[in-house]
């Protein structure tokens, strides 16, 4: 029981920090774009991701 | 076709009714207690109880009313995240995760600094404004803009203003965002500079955050791509080490000179850093710095709340001080309207509308999550402001004023400063200040304006009592590092955003400048943005009245102006979609904002008081120049100050004009909608039923 709760907490933490962004991307890719060649690898994904994320207002006063 | 949701406007069981009546009575008792207490001290627990009860009632009843009647959330409707799900920008996300992202994005240094400065009026005005402003204003703004943006494919505030009000609204919003960015960065830069002034410990620790961020950036880019948690943990450990290391540097006679600088020199260093950060790739500095600052921010805010609850320190500041008459040393100006301008973030912050119409609506998986994220997120930020107010007012008032008053007001020599401040009825001694500075590991704490050092002293005393005494100096510099870390993040991110906006605008004239990949264009536009805020920052450091006195009100006015723009858009939409009878929900906070921004702008322009009116100050200095009453070596500087006063006055006038143009345009559109004349149509996207609900395990 406690193990499951810890696991959920860990998953929430990873999701909150963006630690699992690549896994989420892979899941999305498999579900929607499985027929279109190969997904980005981890490194290439993060390169594209960081550029995209900072392309707008992301932080406030 | 929209199904009514959450129609639980009243408690459903008698027990629920009794509980909420109990909370209301407790809250009223706590607020009344803080308002009427006239003893020596009052316990800070009352502030926490009052805040929690006010928020609980606001959330339970007012936000339920907004959700069910005013905005009419529809959980059967697909959100943009579901409709455009691309796995990157638009991703349906669990509501707690969205809440975390949204809170991390909206909560910056603003709610920590504003209440600290406003404490010069006493604890009461700021506290009441934070509570009432948030529940009836700020939370409503965030919630409404989040809702309207979600209904419009997550469009930005500027786009919504253009669509719903017309081109005038769009241009005004764009100009507003651009200017607020410049002023915000300048004033935050000034806060950091004042915290590092002649403090080798603080300066070396803050300087160390740059290589640490770069190290983390390299780690997450090449060594372990995308391992955010690992990288951030290493970074946080290094930051804590840097706080300790700064203390070591401070004790090395050979090293400390490297980090011991005057404010104007530090301003130049910050300007150079800002330019470098804006042109370097994001992964190297900005992104890792942001991860670290988010971790630090959440960790510190939570520990501060825990420490205040454990410790329940006494508030030493009186409820009201004599400075409500406008003679306050930290910034000039009467209680009305300046307390409402000084505390923007924490009560109502226009900047939030940019986040609520930016990243957040692209993540919402269901409309009903908005109540917690929009309304609840702002409540949390408001609570941060309450804690900052507690941290500022647990200090001895004499100490608080000694730290925060500029030398131009109280005198540059410690003896003169303590005499002036004690003369106001806030006794403080030079020896006491010297001892305090020594325990905090600083050379002096006199005239450390900007709010950061006094907040750090307050936080250090709270932390060291709650989590281990004897480490005051370490806690003090930890607090400074923590504030500097996310101020510099805002500075980097803001410069970048302002650069994109400038490139966008200039791209219409010279297409090459609009290309974000053309290096000369990037360098040129970055330099222009950095020069703009750098100018105000540098002027702030040479201003004898302390730059905070002129810059912070400008920031407050611009932030409230942005909130007014957001509420204009919200009010116009409510009028246009036939909910005119609920329009006061946004129109009344709007009316209040227009009143306070206009009053404050008017005072800043035309007040005869030298520390309030920009024009009066300029003509006073000009007269002194003409009468040769200025030191020959200060003539050039004085001319610059006169020019700066005129520039500040022009900016204030711009804010005033933008606000009123928007308000009149909103009235025009609302009237046309109300009377059935032609007006820009609603730009809401069509209703598409959600398909997520069935397979989502919801709360």
């Amino acid at each position: 029981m406690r193990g499951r709760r810890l696991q959920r907490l860990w998953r929430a933490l990873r999701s909150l920090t963006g630690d699992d962004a690549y896994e989420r991307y892979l899941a999305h890719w498999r579900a929607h774009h499985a027929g279109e060649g190969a997904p980005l690898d981890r490194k290439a994904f993060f390169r594209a991701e960081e550029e995209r994320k900072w392309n707008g207002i992301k932080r406030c006063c | 076709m929209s199904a009514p949701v959450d129609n639980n406007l009243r408690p459903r069981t008698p027990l629920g009714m009794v509980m909420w009546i109990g909370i209301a009575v407790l809250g009223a008792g706590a607020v009344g207690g803080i308002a009427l207490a006239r003893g020596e001290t009052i316990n800070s627990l009352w502030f926490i109880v009052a805040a929690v009860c006010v928020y609980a009632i606001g959330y339970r009843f007012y936000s339920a009313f907004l959700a069910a009647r005013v905005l009419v959330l529809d959980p059967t409707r697909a959100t943009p995240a579901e409709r455009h799900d691309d796995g990157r920008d638009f991703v349906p996300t669990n509501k707690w995760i969205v809440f975390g992202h949204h809170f991390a994005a909206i909560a910056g240094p603003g709610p920590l600094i504003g209440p600290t400065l406003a404490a010069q009026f006493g604890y009461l005005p700021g506290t009441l404004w934070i509570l009432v402003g948030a529940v009836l204003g700020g939370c409503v703004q965030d919630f409404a803009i989040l809702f309207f943006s979600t209904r419009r494919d997550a469009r930005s505030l500027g786009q919504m203003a253009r669509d719903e009000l017309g081109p005038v609204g769009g241009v005004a919003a764009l100009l507003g965002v651009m200017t607020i960015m410049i002023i915000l960065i300048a004033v935050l830069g000034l806060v950091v500079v004042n915290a590092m002034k002649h403090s080798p410990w603080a300066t070396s620790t803050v300087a160390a955050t740059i290589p640490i961020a770069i190290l983390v950036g390299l780690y997450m880019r090449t060594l372990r791509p995308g391992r955010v948690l690992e990288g951030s943990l290493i970074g946080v450990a290094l930051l804590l080490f840097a706080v300790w290391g700064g203390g070591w540097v401070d004790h090395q006679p050979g090293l400390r000179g490297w980090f011991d600088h005057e404010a104007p020199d530090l301003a130049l260093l910050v300007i150079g850093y800002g330019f470098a950060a804006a042109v370097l790739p994001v992964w190297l500095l900005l992104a890792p710095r942001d991860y670290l600052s988010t971790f630090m921010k959440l960790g510190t805010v939570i520990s501060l709340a825990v420490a205040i609850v454990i410790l329940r320190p006494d508030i030493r500041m009186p409820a009201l001080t004599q400075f409500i008459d406008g003679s306050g040393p930290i910034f000039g100006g009467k209680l009305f309207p300046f307390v409402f301008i000084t505390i923007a973030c924490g009560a109502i912050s226009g900047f939030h509308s940019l986040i609520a119409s930016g990243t957040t609506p692209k993540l919402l998986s269901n409309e009903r999550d908005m109540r917690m994220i929009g309304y609840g997120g702002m409540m949390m930020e408001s609570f941060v402001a309450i804690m900052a107010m507690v941290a500022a007012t647990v200090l001895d008032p004499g100490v608080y004023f000694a730290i925060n008053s500029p030398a131009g007001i109280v005198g540059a020599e410690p003896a003169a400063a303590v005499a002036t401040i004690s003369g106001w009825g806030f006794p403080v001694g030079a020896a006491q200040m010297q001892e305090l500075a020594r325990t905090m590991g600083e050379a002096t704490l006199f005239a450390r304006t900007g709010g950061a050092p006094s907040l750090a002293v307050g936080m250090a005393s709270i932390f060291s009592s709650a989590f281990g005494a004897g480490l005051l100096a370490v806690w003090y510099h930890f607090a400074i590092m923590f504030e500097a870390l996310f101020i510099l993040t805002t500075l980097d991110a803001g410069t970048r955003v302002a650069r994109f906006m400038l490139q966008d605008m200039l791209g219409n004239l010279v297409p090459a400048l609009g290309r974000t990949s053309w290096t000369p264009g990037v360098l040129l536009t970055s330099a222009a943005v950095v020069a703009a805020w750098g100018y105000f920052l540098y002027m702030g450091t040479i201003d004898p009245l302390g730059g905070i006195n002129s810059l912070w009100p400008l920031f407050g006015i611009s932030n409230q102006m942005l909130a007014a723009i957001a509420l204009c858009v919200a009010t116009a939409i409510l009028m246009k979609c036939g909910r005119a009878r609920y329009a006061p929900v946004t129109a009344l906070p709007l009316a209040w904002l227009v009143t306070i921004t206009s009053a404050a702008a008017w005072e800043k322009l035309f007040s005869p008081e030298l520390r309030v009116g920009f024009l009066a100050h300029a003509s006073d200095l000009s007269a002194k120049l003409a009468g040769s009453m200025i030191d020959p070596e200060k003539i050039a500087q004085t001319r610059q100050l006169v020019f700066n006063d005129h520039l500040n006055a022009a900016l204030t006038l711009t804010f005033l004009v933008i606000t009123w143009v928007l308000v009149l345009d909103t009235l025009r559109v609302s009237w046309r909608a109300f009377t059935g004349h032609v007006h820009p149509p609603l730009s809401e996207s069509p209703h598409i039923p959600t398909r997520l609900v069935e397979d989502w395990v919801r709360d």
Side-chain angles (χ1 to χ4, degrees), chain B residues 33-238:
Chain B
I34 333 182
L36 301 174
R38 290 293 180 270
E40 281 283 282
T41 60
I42 172 171
N43 196 280
S44 55
L45 192 63
W46 287 111
F47 286 67
I48 307 291
V49 170
V52 169
C53 291
V54 168
Y55 298 145
I57 291 169
Y59 187 78
R60 173 62 187 81
F61 297 100
Y62 195 46
S63 82
F65 165 75
L66 296 173
R69 298 281 164 79
V70 182
L71 303 173
V72 195
L73 306 188
D74 181 358
T76 69
R77 193 183 179 114
T79 59
E82 179 184 351
R83 282 184 288 119
H84 305 299
D85 185 357
D86 58 5
R88 313 181 87 182
D89 261 328
F90 291 87
V91 189
T93 308
N94 174 285
K95 88 168 174 185
W96 292 101
I97 306 287
V98 185
F99 182 85
H101 280 302
H102 182 74
F103 178 69
I106 62 172
L112 294 175
I113 298 166
T116 309
L117 302 177
Q120 78 164 349
F121 293 128
Y123 65 73
L124 186 59
T127 304
L128 291 182
W129 167 234
I130 291 169
L131 295 179
V132 176
V135 168
L136 298 180
C139 296
V140 179
Q141 173 206 253
D142 291 17
F143 189 10
I145 293 298
L146 179 59
F147 175 79
F148 292 133
S149 172
T150 307
R151 281 283 173 96
R152 284 160 183 72
D153 281 332
R155 249 170 268 164
S156 71
L157 179 70
Q159 285 168 312
M160 287 199 285
R162 195 165 53 230
D163 294 345
E164 301 289 342
L165 292 169
V168 177
V171 171
L174 193 69
L175 265 178
V177 174
M178 192 76 190
T179 38
I180 187 181
M181 214 65 107
I182 300 296
I183 297 295
L184 167 74
I185 299 173
V187 74
L188 290 180
L190 186 58
V191 169
V192 179
V193 163
N194 282 349
M196 297 194 296
K197 186 169 72 181
H198 286 303
S199 168
W201 189 339
T203 310
S204 57
T205 303
V206 173
T209 64
I210 299 168
I212 291 174
I214 290 179
L215 247 157
V216 172
L218 286 169
Y219 182 89
M220 288 201 274
R221 174 85 163 186
T222 53
L223 229 52
R224 300 268 292 156
R227 305 292 179 183
V228 173
L229 269 173
E230 280 175 27
S232 305
L233 283 179
I234 296 173
V236 168
L238 288 174

Side-chain angles (χ1 to χ4, degrees), chain B residues 427-472:
Chain B
V428 62
Q432 178 192 3
M433 286 301 292
Q434 186 53 47
E435 174 60 16
L436 184 69
R438 197 190 58 75
T439 52
M440 297 293 167
E442 291 286 284
T444 175
L445 282 171
F446 279 109
R448 303 295 294 272
T449 58
S454 83
L455 181 67
V457 171
M459 272 169 66
S461 53
I462 290 173
F463 276 149
S464 71
S465 314
F467 306 127
L471 292 169
L472 270 170

Side-chain angles (χ1 to χ4, degrees), chain B residues 16 82 87 187 213 224 245 324-325 329 345 402 404 425 430 482 489 515 543 565 647 677-678:
Chain B
E82 179 184 351
V187 74
R224 300 268 292 156
I324 53 176
D325 67 358
C345 316
N404 283 305
F482 143 83
T489 308
R515 283 207 312 271
D543 185 346
I565 294 177
L647 186 66
H677 285 80
V678 181

